[in-house]
Amino acid sequence: MKTTAYLCNTCGVQYEPLIEEPANCKICQDERQYVNVNGQSWTSLPSINQQHKNIIEKVRDDLYALYTTPSFGIGQRAHLLLTPYGNILWDCISNLDESTIAIIRLLGGIKAIAISHPHYYGTMAEWSQRFDDIPVYIHAKDRAWLTRKDFNLVLWEEEERALWPQIKLINCGGHFDGGTILHHADEDGTLLVGDVIQVCPDRRSVSFMYSYPNYIPLRKREILRIQQLLSPLHYRYMYGAFGHYLKDNAKDITEYSLKRYLRIYE
């Protein structure tokens, strides 16, 4: 019988192929996300391909943002970071079509994928398989949230994981226990953060939340952990999941924001 890898319309995460639609989306039922007020609904990648297209936007010479129009699911951006040792896709989006694959191959392809947290799993299995079964790095603390495992999945358990020269993943928790950021240790230093750290619209501050849509604050101990892990890092730039970027003084802005948050708990 024919099976379909259904995607949740609300969060955009794809589930393993089934004959019938899943009963619910466990990611949306969690208190950090939400089930659409009109009820759970599903779609498929071929259907998304017919209704949506991807934008591949050059952010700087070595960084491209990938996002879908019209917006689908949460509406996050993935980022393709180009390095001399290979390119890495940071986070994932749901839509994947032939045009996207062709353009990325012209940019040098993808050596690996790394995901910040479960809200951005998207169609990561499809991305891995279409780009020659490349590894997808997810922190093991988030294994319970996996909706597919039929691909080259790498569950790492350390606090930090070096992938190749200048590229390091850091498990700083917060939004999810496995919440991860990527540090590119180039000359100026770059952080790709998803919304484990949320770049604010004012571009002069960042935010840390347990749930953004449901306005649940992060506990003090989680903020202190993030502060501790960021402290030794050198970074001038920070790129978030929704087109808000810090293009200078990112470390100073983040340290200011951490101190501001911690004052609330005094």
Side-chain angles (χ1 to χ4, degrees):
M1 298 181 70
K2 182 180 178 181
T3 61
T4 300
Y6 290 101
L7 289 87
C8 172
N9 271 313
T10 301
C11 71
V13 172
Q14 186 184 53
Y15 282 68
E16 63 183 10
L18 297 171
I19 296 173
E20 298 181 350
E21 295 178 353
N24 54 64
C25 174
K26 63 181 179 181
I27 290 176
C28 286
Q29 287 194 317
D30 177 65
E31 63 182 356
R32 284 162 285 200
Q33 181 53 15
Y34 59 91
V35 177
N36 190 286
V37 293
N38 296 315
Q40 178 68 54
S41 64
W42 302 92
T43 187
S44 65
L45 186 54
S47 295
I48 295 172
N49 286 168
Q50 293 176 7
Q51 302 173 48
H52 300 266
K53 299 297 181 184
N54 288 339
I55 303 295
I56 301 177
E57 177 184 326
K58 187 175 182 178
V59 176
R60 66 186 199 194
D61 286 346
D62 64 345
L63 189 67
Y64 289 78
L66 290 74
Y67 52 95
T68 300
T69 182
S71 182
F72 176 75
I74 294 174
Q76 77 275 11
R77 294 182 170 203
H79 288 87
L80 181 68
L81 179 64
L82 313 184
T83 87
Y85 305 97
N87 301 339
I88 185 165
L89 182 69
W90 171 249
D91 278 332
C92 199
I93 55 176
S94 302
N95 189 38
L96 178 62
D97 55 27
E98 295 302 325
S99 295
T100 302
I101 293 169
I103 292 170
I104 291 176
R105 291 200 184 279
L106 288 174
L107 292 170
I110 306 174
K111 183 177 180 179
I113 300 170
I115 309 288
S116 63
H117 70 290
H119 290 157
Y120 300 160
Y121 285 170
T123 55
M124 58 185 177
E126 307 276 355
W127 283 79
S128 171
Q129 292 164 2
R130 292 303 303 274
F131 285 97
D132 308 315
D133 293 318
I134 56 173
V136 180
Y137 291 87
I138 292 174
H139 200 275
K141 289 179 182 177
D142 285 343
R143 72 171 76 237
W145 299 102
L146 289 167
T147 55
R148 292 189 67 169
K149 299 179 182 178
D150 56 334
F151 59 100
N152 188 2
L153 172 64
V154 179
L155 293 173
W156 57 285
E157 299 183 351
E158 312 93 318
E159 190 172 80
E160 298 184 354
R161 177 72 174 260
L163 298 187
W164 55 81
Q166 298 185 329
I167 298 295
K168 178 171 66 174
L169 305 178
I170 302 167
N171 169 226
C172 59
H175 192 35
F176 273 77
D177 288 343
T180 297
I181 61 175
L182 183 151
H183 183 227
H184 182 209
D186 54 359
E187 182 177 355
D188 291 315
T190 296
L191 288 182
L192 300 176
V193 295
D195 63 6
V196 173
I197 303 171
Q198 180 81 280
V199 179
C200 297
D202 65 4
R203 287 15 178 231
R204 294 181 294 181
S205 59
V206 299
S207 180
F208 317 86
M209 294 284 282
Y210 181 71
S211 169
Y212 291 97
N214 299 323
Y215 311 113
I216 305 173
L218 197 59
R219 292 170 295 187
K220 179 180 180 180
R221 69 183 186 188
E222 298 290 348
I223 295 173
L224 288 171
R225 173 178 166 79
I226 293 171
Q227 184 181 50
Q228 177 186 6
L229 290 169
L230 292 183
S231 179
L233 299 180
H234 168 66
Y235 58 98
R236 179 179 177 185
Y237 308 113
M238 181 180 290
Y239 296 88
F242 296 97
H244 296 161
Y245 303 145
L246 299 180
K247 297 183 178 180
D248 201 7
N249 300 319
K251 188 177 180 81
D252 290 341
I253 290 169
T254 303
E255 290 179 345
Y256 156 77
S257 300
L258 283 160
K259 291 175 182 177
R260 181 180 66 176
Y261 261 80
L262 290 170
R263 284 201 300 269
I264 298 171
Y265 297 98
E266 293 178 352

